[in-house]
Amino acid sequence: MAEQKERTFIAIKPDGVQRGIVGEVLKRFEMKGYKLVAMKMVHASEDLLMQHYIDLKDRPFFPTLIKYMTSGPVVAMVWEGKGAVKTGRVMLGETNPADSKPGTIRGDFCIDVSKNIIHGSDSVESANKEISLWFKQDELCSYSSCASSWLY
């Protein structure tokens, strides 16, 4: 039962918001069977992004990444369900869209790695950290989905 409660953090980046792909991303996660437990649109601060991408701070592209992520609104979400982190990453596709398979979000909607539409947690530990960075505890909704018995 605990594995059904695994949560992942997914963020639609500014290019995905500007291109009107938010609904498509929501649809794919809902159709897969994951439960949306939090969502908001925000202009992410440099401070938040520096914390979020702390592991990339020494990479040469870091300043460009921060500039890109502050260029427009981001849709931050938390999805819940069995294998949410691993399956979420598979649904996103590879970081470089050129390596992503058709049928994945990046494979279907991206061309260039610098505009790769979406972020997804890469581990349960990262998901927990990212969720706590982007959401307060009282912003996470806990509820029973009527579809649960049809999924598990």
Side-chain angles (χ1 to χ4, degrees), residues 51-118:
Q51 291 176 63
H52 180 88
Y53 289 114
I54 192 80
D55 57 319
L56 302 175
K57 72 177 167 65
D58 296 326
R59 304 292 292 271
F61 60 82
F62 186 71
T64 306
L65 173 63
I66 299 302
K67 184 176 178 185
Y68 155 62
M69 290 297 292
T70 58
S71 69
V74 172
V75 175
M77 300 172 283
V78 179
W79 290 91
E80 182 179 278
K82 183 177 181 180
V85 172
K86 182 179 178 186
T87 302
R89 292 285 291 190
V90 170
M91 292 170 64
L92 268 55
E94 300 299 321
T95 301
N96 185 344
D99 299 329
S100 295
K101 293 184 171 143
T104 65
I105 293 166
R106 290 178 178 141
D108 290 349
F109 300 109
C110 300
I111 295 172
D112 191 90
V113 70
S114 69
K115 301 281 191 297
N116 67 2
I117 293 180
I118 197 161

